[in-house]
Amino acid sequence: GLVQAYGQRHAFLRMLGDAPQALRFLTHFLGLGPYFARVLIAAPEWLDLFAKPELIEVPTTASELMAELAPITDEQLFMTRLRRLRTREVLKAGIRHHAGLIDWPTLFEEFSVVADGLVQAAANFVAKQMGLPAYGVQSCALAMGKWGSGELGFFSDLDVIWIYQSQSGAGEHEQQQMERWVAEILRV
């Protein structure tokens, strides 16, 4: 599993030997259940998050997440990168929480900030794909439930209501375009 995914057994064991804290965090995370093990096997480069505290000390902002995704124009690449960013940020926040750097409310708030950035990035991506200017669609994503209250947990879903303002004199075509835009965002 994990050692094979890391690629270099010697380097992996050296990393754990050089950072006893990393070994403690890693064994704890792997003991939480199969989710984190699957995450680390799928992306073994994230094992460095356990050994290098500077990689996890500061949470990523919604704007930084949006900026990481903004240059991507290929849908497959965008979807892959969006999912990897979400997973990376959940892992980083989980490590910060386990290390005692943040409490439960802060952890849930950080998850909500990640959702904010990734949903806005998805909205901008879909707008570009449809030929609409980013931020040019007068709309609002109204976060509901745990997301809206800033209390997203590890496995929370996103409840959202989309509201948009119609241009004066706009007809059924604009409504259909907006419905398609929202459907595409939700698909992403």
Side-chain angles (χ1 to χ4, degrees):
L2 193 55
V3 174
Q4 290 84 7
Y6 196 76
Q8 299 175 353
R9 181 176 179 188
H10 180 70
F12 176 73
L13 294 174
R14 185 169 3 115
M15 185 265 300
L16 292 178
D18 290 346
Q21 174 185 334
L23 180 58
R24 275 196 317 277
F25 287 160
L26 181 60
T27 55
H28 175 79
F29 265 78
L30 294 177
L32 291 174
Y35 172 76
F36 289 112
R38 284 193 305 267
V39 165
L40 292 172
I41 288 169
E45 67 274 13
W46 291 342
L47 284 166
D48 289 341
L49 295 175
F50 290 89
K52 299 176 183 173
E54 66 274 9
L55 296 176
I56 64 159
E57 288 175 348
V58 179
T60 307
T61 66
S63 296
E64 290 169 333
L65 291 169
M66 290 169 51
E68 282 190 60
L69 292 167
I72 301 171
T73 57
D74 177 74
E75 181 177 344
Q76 181 87 18
L77 180 59
F78 180 85
M79 299 283 286
T80 299
R81 187 69 179 135
L82 181 136
R83 288 183 184 113
R84 286 182 59 82
L85 285 175
R86 181 197 63 207
T87 303
R88 181 192 73 193
E89 295 306 314
V90 166
L91 185 61
K92 284 172 50 179
I95 295 169
R96 272 196 305 282
H97 178 263
H98 177 66
L101 300 174
I102 59 175
D103 59 11
W104 283 108
T106 304
L107 175 72
F108 298 150
E109 184 179 314
E110 286 187 17
F111 288 165
S112 297
V113 168
V114 169
D116 291 344
L118 296 180
V119 168
Q120 183 62 57
N124 292 342
F125 178 80
V126 172
K128 281 192 292 188
Q129 297 292 59
M130 292 178 65
L132 303 171
Y135 303 107
V137 178
Q138 294 186 6
S139 69
C140 172
L142 183 60
M144 305 294 290
K146 294 291 186 186
W147 181 24
S149 64
E151 299 174 340
L152 280 180
F154 279 101
F155 302 105
S156 295
D157 60 351
L158 301 181
D159 300 317
V160 63
I161 296 174
W162 286 93
I163 302 169
Y164 75 94
Q165 180 176 354
S166 179
Q167 302 291 328
S168 63
E172 190 175 318
H173 174 72
E174 183 188 61
Q175 180 177 343
Q176 289 172 347
Q177 185 177 31
M178 290 305 297
E179 288 172 2
R180 204 173 93 237
W181 181 66
V182 170
E184 283 295 304
I185 293 167
L186 296 177
R187 186 182 64 75
V188 168

